[in-house]
């Protein structure tokens, strides 16, 4: 329509010029009348093109998150029953067997923080927007546990730094939004983890060092410091091997006690959580954050 507008201007000009010199004043008056209208038409059509482009790209306007919440997006991975999402960068061998189920999330690197976020819990709710809405309800919210990393360069670039993003198992995603949408804007905030039973310790390693998977952590959920002791040692600091796997480079036998500190600064003492006679591969349950 913009192009046809310019054609109209040329045709109008040519028609006026054809009248001859006697009509030059009329031509000038016609040009003064036509050009402002054409400028307005071009401007309107340019604005319309921008609107169409934004709609085509899905660049809808999302209402900013309220105080205490952040802005992010969700996508999904794995199969409809959650298969293919059991493991991940936090070291959980099988999130279903460990009790996390499908309400888990792979976090973008900004949120993952090199594994420090593992075990933390986040509440997600769809963010109101002025475009196409794929969410079931703006009032609906879910809580997921961070168990994996959504790496840089993932499909669509949603997990690229510095974006805040949650890649969810499909059952978690479809509890908030329609599958065909593929992606939806959300508000998120960190919340306390509600876990059944005590903190669990799965013992790995070999006779010369321990590698302990710490899971089912309540409260803040994300552990920032671990110490371990046995009957013949004091408290020995462990280091984060990766995710929720903590390593102690000290040979230990007999019952094991643990001190955990979570990201909110709270400390848990779990004395003799692992009983005498333990073996590698076993999982033991201790006390819990309240």
């Amino acid at each position: 329509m913009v192009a046809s507008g310019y054609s109209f201007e040329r045709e109008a000009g040519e028609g006026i010029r054809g009248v001859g010199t006697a009509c030059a004043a009329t031509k000038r008056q016609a040009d003064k009348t036509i050009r402002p209208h054409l400028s307005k038409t071009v401007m309107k059509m340019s604005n319309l093109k921008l609107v169409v482009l934004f709609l085509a790209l899905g660049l809808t306007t999302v209402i900013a998150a309220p105080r205490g919440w952040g802005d992010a997006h969700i996508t999904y991975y794995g199969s409809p029953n959650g298969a293919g999402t059991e493991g991940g960068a936090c070291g959980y061998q099988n999130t279903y067997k460990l009790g996390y189920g499908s309400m888990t999330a792979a976090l973008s690197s900004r949120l993952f923080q090199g594994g420090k976020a593992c075990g933390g819990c986040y509440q997600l709710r769809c963010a109101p927007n002025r475009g196409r809405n794929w969410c079931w309800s703006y009032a609906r919210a879910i809580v997921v546990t961070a168990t994996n990393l959504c790496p840089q360069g993932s499909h669509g670039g949603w997990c690229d730094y510095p974006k805040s993003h949650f890649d969810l198992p499909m059952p978690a995603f479809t509890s908030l939004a329609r599958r065909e949408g593929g992606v939806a804007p959300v508000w998120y905030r960190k919340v306390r983890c509600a876990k059944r039973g005590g903190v669990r310790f799965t013992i790995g390693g070999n006779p010369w060092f321990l590698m302990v998977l710490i899971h089912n952590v309540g409260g803040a959920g994300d552990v920032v410091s671990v110490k371990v002791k046995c009957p013949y040692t004091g408290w020995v600091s462990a280091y984060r091997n990766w995710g929720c796997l903590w390593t102690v480079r000290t040979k230990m036998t007999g019952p094991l006690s643990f001190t955990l500190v979570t990201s909110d600064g709270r400390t848990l003492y779990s004395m003799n959580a692992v009983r005498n006679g333990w073996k590698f591969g076993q999982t033991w349950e201790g006390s819990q954050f309240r």
Side-chain angles (χ1 to χ4, degrees):
M1 292 180 70
V2 175
S4 63
Y6 279 113
S7 298
F8 170 69
E9 183 181 21
R10 290 196 299 273
E11 291 172 5
E14 290 169 1
I16 293 170
R17 285 194 295 273
V19 175
T21 306
C23 296
T26 306
K27 172 186 176 299
R28 287 194 295 272
Q29 183 62 38
D31 287 345
K32 290 179 181 179
T33 304
I34 292 169
R35 284 172 180 163
H37 287 293
L38 285 171
S39 297
K40 292 179 181 179
T41 301
V42 172
M43 186 177 295
K44 288 180 180 179
M45 294 309 301
S46 297
N47 291 338
L48 178 60
K49 283 184 174 181
L50 285 174
V51 172
V52 171
L53 178 61
F54 269 74
L55 291 175
L57 293 176
L59 301 175
T60 56
T61 303
V62 179
I63 297 176
R67 184 183 297 273
W69 295 73
D71 295 300
H73 285 80
I74 57 172
T75 50
Y76 65 82
Y77 71 115
S79 66
N81 67 356
T85 65
E86 303 94 329
C90 286
Y92 302 115
Q93 298 97 332
N94 189 312
T95 52
Y96 287 86
K97 290 182 178 180
L98 295 180
Y100 293 100
S102 60
M103 302 308 283
T104 59
L107 275 56
S108 59
S109 58
R110 178 181 182 179
L111 298 177
F112 191 71
Q113 301 178 68
K116 293 179 181 179
C118 289
C121 296
Y122 296 83
Q123 186 178 38
L124 308 176
R125 58 181 296 186
C126 283
N129 67 82
R130 298 185 179 93
R132 186 71 178 269
N133 174 27
W134 295 107
C135 292
W136 299 112
S137 169
Y138 291 137
R140 187 177 298 185
I142 62 172
V143 175
V144 295
T145 303
T147 61
N148 202 355
L149 167 68
C150 185
Q152 291 270 121
S154 296
H155 181 71
W158 290 106
C159 294
D160 291 352
Y161 191 85
K163 296 177 182 177
S164 296
H165 190 77
F166 297 83
D167 199 20
L168 307 178
M170 196 182 297
F173 180 92
T174 54
S175 67
L176 275 182
R178 297 175 180 85
R179 174 181 175 181
E180 58 268 27
V183 60
V186 294
W187 295 338
Y188 75 95
R189 64 179 176 181
K190 197 159 184 301
V191 295
R192 292 181 61 79
C193 300
K195 302 298 182 184
R196 294 182 178 179
V199 175
R200 293 172 191 149
F201 305 90
T202 300
I203 309 300
N206 61 41
W208 294 273
F209 73 90
L210 297 179
M211 185 179 291
V212 184
L213 175 65
I214 301 176
H215 51 104
N216 200 55
V217 181
D222 45 355
V223 178
V224 298
S225 174
V226 175
K227 292 182 179 180
V228 188
K229 77 170 184 174
C230 67
Y232 60 86
T233 69
W235 288 106
V236 179
S237 294
Y239 68 89
R240 189 191 305 274
N241 194 295
W242 56 287
C244 290
L245 284 164
W246 294 81
T247 297
V248 179
R249 291 191 176 278
T250 301
K251 183 177 180 179
M252 291 190 173
T253 58
L256 304 177
S257 299
F258 296 84
T259 299
L260 309 182
V261 180
T262 46
S263 62
D264 58 357
R266 297 181 64 202
T267 301
L268 175 72
Y269 294 94
S270 193
M271 307 303 294
N272 298 321
V274 177
R275 305 299 184 185
N276 193 29
W278 57 267
K279 296 180 180 180
F280 293 111
Q282 292 180 335
T283 298
W284 297 79
E285 188 170 299
S287 52
Q288 181 61 277
F289 288 94
R290 301 298 178 190

